[in-house]
Amino acid sequence: MVQQLLAYGTLILAVAFLLWKYLLPKSFGKKKDKGCGQDNCGCN
Amino acid sequence: MSKNINVALIGNPNTGKTSVFNQLTGLNQKVGNYPGITVEKKEGICKLPRGVKAHILDLPGTYSLNTTSLDESLVVELLLNKNDKDYPDVAVVISDVENLKRNLFLFTQIKDLKIPTILVINMADRMSRKGISLDVAAMEEKLDTKIALVSTRKRQGIDRLKELIADYKNISSAPNLDAKRISPEYFERLQRTFPNEDLYKLWLVITQDVNFMPIEKKRIQDATDFTTKSKEELKKLQHKETVLRYQFINNTLKETYKVDFLAAKGLRGSLDKLLTHKVFGYLIFFVILLTIFQAIFDWSSYPMDFIDEQFAMASEWVKNTLPPGIFTDLLAEGIIAGIGGIVIFIPQIAFLFLFISLLEESGYMSRVVFLMDRLMRPFGLSGKSIVPLISGTACAIPAVMATRTIENWKERLITILVTPFTTCSARLPVYLILIALVIPKGTFLGLSYQALTLMLLYLIGFGMAIFSAMVLNKILKIKSRSLFMVEMPTYRLPLFKNVAYTVLEKTKSFVFGAGKIILAISIVLWFLGSNGYSDDFKNAEHIVSERIEKDGLSTYSKNYIQNNVASYREAALADGMSATVLQDSITVLTEELKERAIAQEISSYKLEHSYIGQAGKAFEPFVKPLGYDWKIGIAVLTSFAAREVFVGTLATIYSVGSDEEETIKNRMAAELDDEGRPLFNLASGISLMLFYAFAMQCMSTLAIVKRETNSWKWPLFQLGFMSVFAYIVALIAYQLLI
Ligand SMILES: Nc1nc2c(ncn2[C@@H]2O[C@H](COP(=O)(O)OP(=O)(O)OP(=O)(O)O)[C@@H](O)[C@H]2O)c(=O)[nH]1
Ligand SMILES: [Mg+2]
């Protein structure tokens, strides 16, 4: 039971992260203009 | 009472603005020994004497206020717009003591805007070596300003600069040059039409669109009774302004700036002759490249193997120690494998950036730009496109942003479109692991095949960028080409702090940027790989046992048992075990291995019928002609999020449901295709590497291209064109090699 809870919790976190990262419109829920200046690969 | 003042750091490129900014604010923005490092404005706060708080702006380098490109126009727009929230109360012009004459041009222009302007003469530490002596007091008087002699290297002069900024009210804001001298008649007329405007500011506004985009131009057109001059006439006047300014500057420097050439220890001239030589220059560059790739290969393979083993052990340990259950499996097979897929690349990423930053900091990178410029001219590209292409070896995102220095829009667009072909650091992990698997270890003329392959891949990427730029150039037709002037910064001993900082920062941004994505994808993949809806998935045990009863074990399992038994026999014989005992123990071992093999077959059957397996099988026909199986197909697909995901994906897929924890490399080496040959062989390996070399697999780059081009058209074009091209090349390579 505990195992299931932990496992599915992790899954939800991972999916939420990916959705937030790739599918959400840019302005929503993120700091605006992080100024992904020089080095920030994967910024946005 | 605490006041808040705006301070803008302005200056020619590569004069050390960002270095001064970092020392004033305690921040750590990127510094590098070539022009065009900063392309956006950066802000920071600095506490000054007497309770003054300053809001400091670091700006892109600009040669003058007659801008020609996007990054430069940022500076002009700020200085012309009094209502801008960042409009400076005081401007600090940073100059480089070795190029003072050229630097002062900008200084006089800013001063003429009637903004209190402080002059920083940076790199004071180089004065004695170059035999330069300054009469600061006399210069202050001539320029009607305050000067801070600074060396950010030696941390000298920053306190005086802070004093001067805090005391900005006492800095004269009188102009150096009376604008009317440019053309008395014309400026008289201007003054009459706009009695309330500042003359020099007006002049800059009028001339902006001669070179670039119009700023507030409308206001001038609205004044109907004023006829402005033709472009040609305006250009002539601008030219006159330049002459007047240089007269003033020469006059100033004549008495205050002395260079004793005998005292100057100048290796630079002869070194530059060699490093930019028509033949030796390229030869040296080639040797340097090879050394770098060889080193990346040699040095990073040990830590990589070590890390790989540690993670295999860690998941074994988790499996054996934690109570059995779904989370334990997820941890051992998904999460640890995923993290392993990130950490294993830390050594090479660190080495790559170590070399890149050494090249940048020493000043050699500018010589490379010069060499490349000469190479590309015949192809109709200007050297300004080279800087982004070269900085693309780190990451395409800053490289795409670096195109802001290109004034010609079409040329900029072409550079943006082809930059993702440059081999970025995300491809390195994929290349390294594939090369280690499929390229033999031997050497050719003392150079290892593996390092040569790696270098070839880098050259292919660069070559492809140039080639497609050429093609696009023909299609899109650029009329005027950008003006390009390679500036040769002086050679400097790389500062350990800067190098270390870059390496650390890049590695960190890899681990926490790409790493999060790799981990999340690994977790999701693990779930998709260990669950399924079909009956085949649910009845896997039953189906596989029946099949084994009928047809026996698979070739893979048979090999697995044979190999294990053979190595056991060898070891036992070496130990001097007697024949009968050996026979018995082998029987036991074989039984054990058989059981394991059956379990393995069940889990791989399950994997094939899991969600991911079904998706992969559906996708397999597309990648089969390239020599990949469905698992590689899935890894290729997930890599469209970011290339680094490739290895992590394979690691996760291979470890789903397996009992034995193995290193990623061994697992990949053990994969067989339908005919029992290693799946990762020369043909499929090269095909994969070529696919990764050309395909546009990076969401973040697409997003940045959209931002920079302001439309989805170009990123989609890039995605389509590059991926189709990659597919075709990979297909041809596989079919030729197999
Ligand atoms: N010798 C010496 N080198 C310095 C000094 N200050 C900066 N540098 C070096 O000069 C180079 C350029 O420094 P940056 O601070 O990136 O210059 P920048 O003006 O911000 O450059 P852009 O953003 O490209 O316009 C770097 O290699 C610095 O390490 C100094 O006082 N002495
Ligand atoms: Mg800078």
Side-chain angles (χ1 to χ4, degrees):
Chain A
M1 190 57 208
V2 179
Q3 292 252 349
Q4 301 254 334
L5 220 66
L6 282 173
Y8 287 102
T10 318
L11 175 66
I12 290 168
L13 273 181
V15 172
F17 171 75
L18 288 175
L19 289 180
W20 173 74
K21 186 94 193 164
Y22 287 118
L23 293 183
L24 238 53
K26 263 208 90 150
S27 53
F28 186 80
K30 294 185 192 179
K31 269 181 276 165
K32 251 199 294 167
D33 189 33
K34 277 188 295 178
C36 312
Q38 298 307 323
D39 326 326
N40 270 330
C41 284
C43 168
N44 74 67
Chain B
M1 194 194 83
S2 95
K3 294 161 282 184
N4 235 330
I5 60 172
N6 276 335
V7 179
L9 301 182
I10 310 172
N12 287 181
N14 207 35
T15 52
K17 294 174 297 301
T18 306
S19 303
V20 171
F21 175 83
N22 287 343
Q23 298 218 334
L24 284 177
T25 59
L27 293 176
N28 245 326
Q29 287 296 335
K30 170 158 178 145
V31 169
N33 190 11
Y34 61 85
I37 292 280
T38 310
V39 289
E40 285 187 314
K41 53 181 180 195
K42 293 279 155 92
E43 308 172 23
I45 299 286
C46 172
K47 286 217 173 63
L48 297 173
R50 292 188 293 284
V52 184
K53 218 162 103 191
H55 171 239
I56 316 256
L57 261 192
D58 181 23
L59 292 161
T62 173
Y63 287 104
S64 72
L65 293 184
N66 316 105
T67 56
T68 50
S69 60
L70 194 57
D71 56 332
E72 288 186 341
S73 74
L74 214 80
V75 179
V76 183
E77 271 171 56
L78 174 70
L79 293 179
L80 289 184
N81 185 2
K82 266 208 161 105
N83 301 322
D84 195 309
K85 72 171 181 19
D86 290 329
Y87 184 82
D89 295 301
V90 52
V92 175
V93 173
I94 317 277
S95 64
D96 158 8
V97 71
E98 285 180 61
N99 295 303
L100 204 51
K101 186 164 157 187
R102 198 193 59 214
N103 293 175
L104 281 178
F105 186 86
L106 179 68
F107 172 85
T108 61
Q109 281 193 312
I110 292 172
K111 188 123 171 50
D112 291 357
L113 288 173
K114 308 206 176 85
I115 298 171
T117 309
I118 297 170
L119 179 65
V120 166
I121 301 182
N122 190 21
M123 319 220 183
D125 50 300
R126 301 188 60 85
M127 284 168 61
S128 63
R129 281 192 59 190
K130 295 283 160 178
I132 298 170
S133 57
L134 288 176
D135 183 345
V136 175
M139 202 181 281
E140 281 184 335
E141 195 169 313
K142 288 248 179 202
L143 294 173
D144 187 20
T145 184
K146 292 284 178 210
I147 294 178
L149 199 57
V150 167
S151 163
T152 62
R153 280 267 157 119
K154 297 235 158 89
R155 298 183 171 272
Q156 283 161 355
I158 294 289
D159 286 337
R160 169 160 163 90
L161 175 59
K162 286 187 182 170
E163 278 288 339
L164 290 179
I165 297 175
D167 211 19
Y168 75 102
K169 289 245 164 74
N170 291 330
I171 292 183
S172 143
S173 55
N176 275 155
L177 184 87
D178 182 3
K180 288 204 178 111
R181 283 181 57 201
I182 300 173
S183 163
E185 175 268 338
Y186 180 72
F187 278 77
E188 238 11 286
R189 231 154 24 95
L190 260 182
Q191 187 81 89
R192 257 180 280 130
T193 326
F194 305 97
N196 302 324
E197 296 281 346
D198 179 77
L199 263 189
Y200 188 61
K201 208 172 230 179
L202 266 180
W203 169 241
L204 281 180
V205 171
I206 292 170
T207 49
Q208 273 324 300
D209 67 322
V210 172
N211 305 303
F212 196 56
M213 56 166 79
I215 301 169
E216 296 184 66
K217 193 178 136 213
K218 199 164 150 284
R219 271 179 34 209
I220 287 166
Q221 282 171 340
D222 286 349
T224 38
D225 60 331
F226 184 75
T227 44
T228 151
K229 301 208 168 203
S230 74
K231 272 196 173 188
E232 275 59 45
E233 283 170 308
L234 287 175
K235 276 210 162 140
K236 255 191 208 133
L237 289 185
Q238 250 186 353
H239 187 70
K240 176 137 185 244
E241 178 193 343
T242 309
V243 173
L244 285 173
R245 285 193 192 281
Y246 274 120
Q247 274 174 1
F248 172 78
I249 293 167
N250 285 337
N251 209 349
T252 306
L253 291 182
K254 203 165 61 197
E255 286 149 44
T256 56
Y257 182 88
K258 300 239 152 51
V259 185
D260 181 355
F261 285 103
L262 288 178
K265 302 175 214 151
L267 242 181
R268 179 182 163 172
S270 39
L271 201 56
D272 263 351
K273 236 187 224 145
L274 185 66
L275 290 182
T276 59
H277 188 269
K278 271 197 211 94
V279 181
F280 298 116
Y282 293 97
L283 219 64
I284 292 172
F285 179 49
F286 194 72
V287 170
I288 291 180
L289 270 191
L290 248 180
T291 319
I292 289 179
F293 290 127
Q294 183 99 42
I296 288 184
F297 226 93
D298 291 350
W299 297 352
S300 61
S301 67
Y302 299 103
M304 270 175 81
D305 288 345
F306 176 77
I307 293 170
D308 206 357
E309 273 160 33
Q310 298 310 306
F311 274 89
M313 273 158 59
S315 37
E316 182 99 51
W317 183 84
V318 165
K319 271 223 158 136
N320 296 336
T321 325
L322 294 188
I326 177 170
F327 185 67
T328 305
D329 288 346
L330 168 65
L331 204 59
E333 298 161 4
I335 295 181
I336 293 183
I339 297 181
I342 304 161
V343 177
I344 188 173
F345 298 124
I346 291 181
Q348 8 155 335
I349 298 277
F351 282 127
L352 179 71
F353 282 108
L354 172 70
F355 289 118
I356 291 183
S357 91
L358 281 179
L359 291 186
E360 280 182 8
E361 271 282 295
S362 62
Y364 182 69
M365 215 53 133
S366 300
R367 276 74 190 177
V368 175
V369 171
F370 182 81
L371 288 175
M372 290 299 154
D373 178 45
R374 194 158 53 196
L375 213 61
M376 307 231 329
R377 248 157 223 242
F379 299 113
L381 266 189
S382 91
K384 273 208 174 173
S385 317
I386 308 280
V387 177
L389 285 185
I390 290 180
S391 65
T393 43
C395 172
I397 293 165
V400 167
M401 309 228 322
T403 61
R404 291 183 183 182
T405 56
I406 302 175
E407 57 262 38
N408 183 303
W409 162 242
K410 269 190 188 156
E411 190 173 334
R412 182 164 170 232
L413 179 66
I414 289 178
T415 314
I416 290 178
L417 289 179
V418 306
T419 295
F421 277 123
T422 320
T423 307
C424 66
S425 57
R427 289 183 175 102
L428 189 63
V430 182
Y431 288 169
L432 284 190
I433 207 146
L434 287 175
I435 288 177
L437 279 176
V438 307
I439 305 289
K441 275 236 159 63
T443 59
F444 171 74
L445 296 177
L447 305 165
S448 87
Y449 289 134
Q450 302 191 324
L452 276 175
T453 312
L454 187 60
M455 186 175 80
L456 222 59
L457 284 164
Y458 270 79
L459 293 182
I460 286 177
F462 198 71
M464 185 58 201
I466 296 180
F467 176 74
S468 28
M470 215 171 79
V471 174
L472 285 171
N473 191 11
K474 287 260 151 59
I475 300 173
L476 291 174
K477 284 263 181 310
I478 297 179
K479 269 193 232 95
S480 67
R481 224 173 288 152
S482 295
L483 196 77
F484 181 60
M485 184 166 104
V486 213
E487 184 164 348
M488 297 285 189
T490 36
Y491 295 103
R492 296 201 183 90
L493 216 55
L495 208 57
F496 173 77
K497 189 180 139 261
N498 285 352
V499 174
Y501 177 76
T502 311
V503 172
L504 203 76
E505 216 26 53
K506 298 281 184 178
T507 314
K508 235 170 62 192
S509 93
F510 167 75
V511 173
F512 296 108
K516 277 187 286 195
I517 300 170
I518 297 177
L519 184 59
I521 289 186
S522 296
I523 292 171
V524 174
L525 283 177
W526 183 85
F527 272 95
L528 294 176
S530 45
N531 291 289
Y533 63 91
S534 67
D535 290 339
D536 282 336
F537 180 84
K538 288 178 189 135
N539 303 324
E541 275 94 356
H542 185 67
I543 297 172
V544 174
S545 326
E546 255 179 17
R547 191 183 69 194
I548 291 177
E549 240 162 66
K550 218 169 80 206
D551 306 330
L553 287 170
S554 69
T555 338
Y556 177 81
S557 301
K558 279 187 198 142
N559 282 344
Y560 167 77
I561 295 173
Q562 252 170 25
N563 291 343
N564 269 295
V565 169
S567 56
Y568 176 78
R569 189 198 303 272
E570 222 169 88
L573 285 178
D575 270 358
M577 197 184 270
S578 77
T580 41
V581 179
L582 181 64
Q583 202 48 55
D584 285 348
S585 56
I586 283 185
T587 319
V588 176
L589 179 70
T590 314
E591 269 319 299
E592 222 173 80
L593 286 171
K594 213 179 203 166
E595 234 160 76
R596 247 192 248 170
I598 293 174
Q600 189 66 49
E601 281 193 29
I602 293 175
S603 56
S604 78
Y605 186 84
K606 264 185 148 166
L607 180 61
E608 261 172 54
H609 292 88
S610 65
Y611 294 112
I612 194 90
Q614 308 235 288
K617 288 276 175 189
F619 185 60
E620 195 171 24
F622 291 102
V623 292
K624 193 103 208 167
L626 311 187
Y628 320 153
D629 70 346
W630 68 266
K631 294 174 194 168
I632 303 182
I634 291 288
V636 168
L637 265 190
T638 51
S639 297
F640 274 91
R643 299 179 179 91
E644 298 96 325
V645 172
F646 177 75
V647 179
T649 300
L650 284 183
T652 307
I653 297 183
Y654 290 154
S655 58
V656 168
S658 80
D659 283 332
E660 270 171 282
E661 299 314 324
E662 259 287 12
T663 63
I664 301 179
K665 219 155 112 187
N666 287 346
R667 278 220 170 94
M668 289 171 76
E671 282 288 303
L672 301 179
D673 66 8
D674 297 340
E675 281 135 60
R677 291 169 306 186
L679 184 62
F680 291 94
N681 50 43
L682 189 68
S684 65
I686 297 229
S687 148
L688 252 180
M689 286 192 267
L690 288 175
F691 187 85
Y692 274 79
F694 297 134
M696 176 70 230
Q697 295 169 296
C698 181
M699 296 260 230
S700 307
T701 304
L702 290 174
I704 220 81
V705 170
K706 144 113 216 297
R707 197 178 86 185
E708 296 290 310
T709 59
N710 247 329
S711 94
W712 277 112
K713 183 166 108 194
W714 297 113
L716 288 178
F717 168 75
Q718 239 174 349
L719 179 67
F721 167 71
M722 289 178 67
S723 306
V724 169
F725 183 76
Y727 187 89
I728 294 172
V729 172
L731 178 70
I732 294 174
Y734 181 73
Q735 297 300 339
L736 284 181
L737 287 169
I738 196 65

